[in-house]
Amino acid sequence: MSDQSTPVTRLPLRKGASLRWLPFLFIFLQSVLYGLGDPISKSAYEVLPVYSLLTARYGIALAFLLLVFGRRIWRGLKVCSPRDWLLPSLCMGGAYVANNIALELTAATSVAFLRSLSTMMTPLLALAFYRRKFGKKHIPVQLLVLVGLYLLCGLGGLSGFGLGEVFSLLSAGALIFGEHALDRVDPVTLTTLQTAASALMALLCALAFDQGIHLGAATPSVWMSILYLALFCTVAGYLLQNAALGVLSSRTVALLQCFCPVMTAMFSRLLLGEQLSTPGILGAVIILLCVAAETMMKDDKPLS
């Protein structure tokens, strides 16, 4: 998969003990933002059609990125080719559009569970596409995380495994191809292209299934929700993920993102009244212990 694009220097976060933890903090912060975003999205979907809300969300996020980083994005586009960013952009757009469709159909904690299954798919995709071997030391942690995820969300009333939820596993592809793309694409440029892909997919779905964009019923509180989703979950969330992928392997990022359903469960309890059972609490504890163990292990080298 080599080409003539100019390589992008990865972030030098491996230098210094304090900076070593920065990419881990990026993913933890992303998980907190998404954990709050899931119940907020579910509440907003009671007022607006899914595709209309997503079109507004990604449109605002794209406009913000172009306004703030326009020159940097243009420079980034000139030193890379479409083959560098097309797959991670399509996977990211497809994954997050599908995740939000699933939010309308099932519980927020169930969607977080399905999204976090990328922790299992990511090393398999890395092996298939880039021949990256999976370290045996990570297998026990990986299996325990799956147990914790099932206890946290699966036993909490997983209401069907629909087609849209299956496509939410595209997030694994976004991690794998995104990690590879960051050798040649600036993180801000990649974030913008992924946001543009998400906006385009949402717009096409709105035109095809909703016969247009319908935002007339949006209240001020719904618009505040859309702004939070656009600026924090999309802009900040995508940037944090891409910044972490410049240092950590996609497998590690996928595992760290299992912190997200813990946050989703907490915020869903507070905002939506979704109950967390005793097995769910046990699952959350298992996930947190596994994430803590993973941060102590030596990470695989990023793809190059």
Side-chain angles (χ1 to χ4, degrees):
M1 292 192 174
S2 61
D3 54 46
Q4 302 300 317
S5 302
T6 303
V8 173
T9 303
R10 290 185 181 273
L11 299 176
L13 296 181
R14 293 186 183 273
K15 298 179 180 179
S18 60
L19 291 180
R20 177 181 176 272
W21 298 101
L22 196 55
F24 295 95
L25 292 176
F26 287 166
I27 300 302
F28 292 148
L29 178 56
Q30 182 199 42
S31 296
V32 173
L33 295 176
Y34 285 175
L36 178 57
D38 282 343
I40 284 178
S41 297
K42 190 166 181 64
S43 296
Y45 292 147
E46 296 178 359
V47 180
L48 294 178
V50 173
Y51 303 119
S52 296
L53 189 150
L54 290 178
T55 301
R57 166 185 172 174
Y58 292 121
I60 292 171
L62 181 59
F64 177 85
L65 285 166
L66 292 174
L67 181 64
V68 176
F69 301 108
R71 291 183 179 179
R72 178 172 174 174
I73 294 165
W74 177 246
R75 289 196 301 269
L77 284 173
K78 290 193 293 185
V79 298
C80 65
S81 68
R83 67 181 300 177
D84 294 325
W85 49 260
L86 186 59
L87 273 178
S89 297
L90 291 177
C91 284
M92 181 76 91
Y96 282 92
V97 169
N99 283 342
N100 282 275
I101 295 170
L103 269 174
E104 188 189 32
L105 303 175
T106 188
T109 49
S110 296
V111 175
F113 165 67
L114 294 167
R115 183 170 57 219
S116 294
L117 286 179
S118 63
T119 189
M120 178 178 63
M121 298 298 295
T122 298
L124 297 178
L125 287 177
L127 176 63
F129 283 91
Y130 301 110
R131 300 295 187 267
R132 171 187 280 173
K133 295 182 179 179
F134 184 60
K136 293 181 179 179
K137 65 181 179 180
H138 299 291
I139 294 177
V141 176
Q142 205 89 10
L143 294 176
L144 278 174
V145 163
L146 291 176
V147 172
L149 286 170
Y150 180 71
L151 290 173
L152 175 62
C153 305
L155 289 179
L158 184 62
S159 54
F161 197 83
L163 185 60
E165 292 155 294
V166 173
F167 279 118
S168 71
L169 300 182
L170 283 168
S171 54
L175 292 174
I176 286 292
F177 301 128
E179 180 186 1
H180 181 71
L182 286 166
D183 279 333
R184 297 173 177 84
V185 186
D186 173 68
V188 173
T189 301
L190 182 60
T191 295
T192 304
L193 292 166
Q194 290 171 327
T195 303
S198 302
L200 178 60
M201 291 181 185
L203 176 61
L204 292 176
C205 288
L207 296 176
F209 302 112
D210 291 341
Q211 289 76 49
I213 301 173
H214 306 286
L215 299 172
T219 62
S221 62
V222 170
W223 277 113
M224 291 298 295
S225 297
I226 293 174
L227 285 175
Y228 174 84
L229 296 169
L231 300 181
F232 291 93
C233 291
T234 301
V235 175
Y238 286 14
L239 281 172
L240 288 167
Q241 177 171 301
N242 287 327
L245 280 173
V247 181
L248 302 175
S249 70
S250 52
R251 180 201 57 77
T252 297
V253 171
L255 189 58
L256 294 175
Q257 286 178 336
C258 290
F259 184 62
C260 181
V262 177
M263 301 308 302
T264 297
M266 184 186 75
F267 286 120
S268 295
R269 172 64 186 272
L270 295 174
L271 300 179
L272 302 178
E274 293 183 5
Q275 298 296 319
L276 191 61
S277 62
T278 301
I281 296 173
L282 176 60
V285 172
I286 291 174
I287 292 170
L288 292 176
L289 290 176
C290 288
V291 169
E294 182 65 23
T295 60
M296 301 298 176
M297 293 184 184
K298 185 177 180 181
D299 189 40
D300 303 324
K301 292 181 180 180
L303 294 168
S304 56

